[in-house]
Amino acid sequence: MLDLSFVRDHLPQIEAMLRDRGMDPAAVLRDFHEVDAQRRQAITTAEELKAHRNRLSDKIPGMKKAGQDVSQLISETKDMRVQIQELEKAAEEYDTRLSDILVGIPNFPHPSVPAGKSATDNVEVRRWGTPPQFDFAPKPHWELGEQLGILDLERAAKLTGARFAVYWAGGARLERALANFMLDVHTREHGYTEVLPPYLVNSESMYGTGQLPKFAADSFRVPHGEKDLWLIPTAEVPVTNLYRDEVLDGVRMPVSLTAYTPCFRSEAGSYGKDVRGIIRQHQFQKVELVKFSRPEDSYDQLEKLTNNAEEILKRLGLHYRVMALSTADMGFSSAKTYDLEVWLPGQQLFREISSCSNFEAFQARRANIRFRRDGKTKPEFVHTLNGSGLAVGRTWLAILENYQQADGSVLIPDALRAYMGTDRIVKNRC
């Protein structure tokens, strides 16, 4: 969430930013200027009345002692108390209305973010590797998975419904091998601490990272007693909220955490998109990278986090590119985002496999996550960052498509062979 004073002092820039993000300023900001002015007037008037009432109250003891009639003053102070209470109640109502407006304003993009009107305005930053060459027509992963007997979408639909998957034999092992490989690299070489968080979180946690209220329809809500719980859409939610309402030691920063979890997304606005295979699922697994940084270091940390995610693709020998997202394509909470897109030869296109973002203080302000530079300084909001390191399911399908062989088998990249216990996936005979 953006700071109220920042929005108030930069309203023209906020309006321009909303247009750059493809949003209607009038619909987002609504009557912000009017409500803000009324709130400030109510607070100012209440404070003036309090000061006047205090001055009158201070006169009463002396007047009583002198034998003077104080009934009029007492009546005036009582009337003022009622007026003050009404003004304070009005100010609280204006506060609520302002908060409703503020939570609907997306983060302000960093100056380095390319301006644009759609995803076509994203800018390629770099590429790594080259596409594999085949002497046969490469197949998409859904055909390979079915033919090998390792991907079963039909039985998943029977168990649950569309956009779920069952993995068999080498397919299930590959998913597990990828997660273990990613976690080992990030914890042993990149300096992340592994966390295993709950997969259900409360509404406060969803609000803290910006999923609520805007993306409630894209999430799975679980009624639980008097309060709702939510299946996590990403490990970003529980891991970031580990430090909600806490003050971190600035000497320890950056704090780098990683977690492997399932992720659950209703994808309410995405029906009809990517219906084949496992590109867009209601449940998928992901290794998440989360950082808590000092503000002055956060963009250096964004580059490091992005490089950490890239390293996994490099070790797996997967051709990819890094895209700087434009203002129109960035997430609601992000100030800057890089997407890593892996090449899929079976579909002849690049697909997102990781988004690495700096949220600056946007999430920290919502979740009240602060740090203290030393024992004497005032706490400041941290900058939070996260990225997939990587989305396991999309890495799974990238390996199938990039390492497929003419005989229908799939070679295992060298980096994964110790985790798989084999050098290739062959047809499942079970």
Side-chain angles (χ1 to χ4, degrees), residues 231-248:
L231 286 168
I232 60 171
T234 165
E236 165 199 349
V237 178
V239 175
T240 302
N241 278 277
L242 285 170
Y243 295 119
R244 189 173 76 238
D245 296 324
E246 293 188 25
V247 178
L248 303 179

Side-chain angles (χ1 to χ4, degrees), residues 131-150:
Q133 300 299 312
F134 299 93
D135 56 7
F136 60 92
K139 297 177 181 178
H141 68 276
W142 55 84
E143 291 185 16
L144 291 165
E146 182 180 1
Q147 291 168 6
L148 287 167
I150 61 173

Side-chain angles (χ1 to χ4, degrees), residues 81-91:
R81 184 171 66 248
V82 172
Q83 293 178 57
I84 291 167
Q85 289 173 344
E86 290 175 348
L87 287 165
E88 288 178 340
K89 182 179 179 182

Side-chain angles (χ1 to χ4, degrees), residues 77-297:
T77 57
K78 287 182 178 178
D79 288 343
M80 287 182 193
R81 184 171 66 248
V82 172
Q83 293 178 57
I84 291 167
Q85 289 173 344
E86 290 175 348
L87 287 165
E88 288 178 340
K89 182 179 179 182
E92 289 177 1
E93 291 173 353
Y94 292 135
D95 268 334
T96 300
R97 289 172 64 183
L98 277 179
S99 294
D100 288 344
I101 295 171
L102 288 174
V103 298
I105 301 175
N107 204 354
F108 205 91
H110 187 266
S112 65
V113 172
K117 296 182 178 180
S118 71
T120 58
D121 297 308
N122 296 344
V123 175
E124 184 173 323
V125 177
R126 57 184 172 270
R127 291 190 181 206
W128 183 90
T130 56
Q133 300 299 312
F134 299 93
D135 56 7
F136 60 92
K139 297 177 181 178
H141 68 276
W142 55 84
E143 291 185 16
L144 291 165
E146 182 180 1
Q147 291 168 6
L148 287 167
I150 61 173
L151 178 64
D152 195 335
L153 301 177
E154 185 176 343
R155 285 192 173 93
K158 178 176 68 174
L159 296 176
T160 311
R163 295 195 177 183
F164 290 88
V166 171
Y167 299 88
W168 292 90
R173 182 176 294 180
L174 179 58
E175 175 92 9
R176 176 161 51 94
L178 282 166
N180 286 332
F181 166 66
M182 293 175 190
L183 288 171
D184 284 348
V185 172
H186 294 317
T187 57
R188 296 174 183 176
E189 301 181 37
H190 295 160
Y192 291 82
T193 299
E194 185 175 351
V195 180
L196 181 60
Y199 304 156
L200 283 165
V201 294
N202 54 32
S203 296
E204 291 82 355
S205 296
M206 292 283 281
Y207 174 87
T209 45
Q211 276 73 28
L212 291 182
K214 185 173 178 61
F215 301 107
D218 289 318
S219 304
F220 284 104
R221 181 174 62 89
V222 181
H224 181 70
E226 296 181 356
K227 289 190 174 183
D228 290 336
L229 294 179
W230 303 81
L231 286 168
I232 60 171
T234 165
E236 165 199 349
V237 178
V239 175
T240 302
N241 278 277
L242 285 170
Y243 295 119
R244 189 173 76 238
D245 296 324
E246 293 188 25
V247 178
L248 303 179
D249 181 0
V251 176
R252 291 180 53 214
M253 299 177 75
V255 176
S256 302
L257 306 176
T258 184
Y260 169 64
T261 68
C263 305
F264 304 89
R265 298 185 185 177
S266 175
E267 301 279 11
S270 301
Y271 288 105
K273 296 181 181 179
D274 302 320
V275 294
R276 303 203 69 179
I278 58 170
I279 289 290
R280 194 180 297 274
Q281 296 281 280
H282 290 314
Q283 177 189 327
F284 60 96
Q285 286 64 244
K286 187 153 61 84
V287 171
E288 192 75 358
L289 307 175
V290 176
K291 284 179 176 282
F292 302 84
S293 169
R294 293 180 181 226
E296 65 269 24
D297 300 329

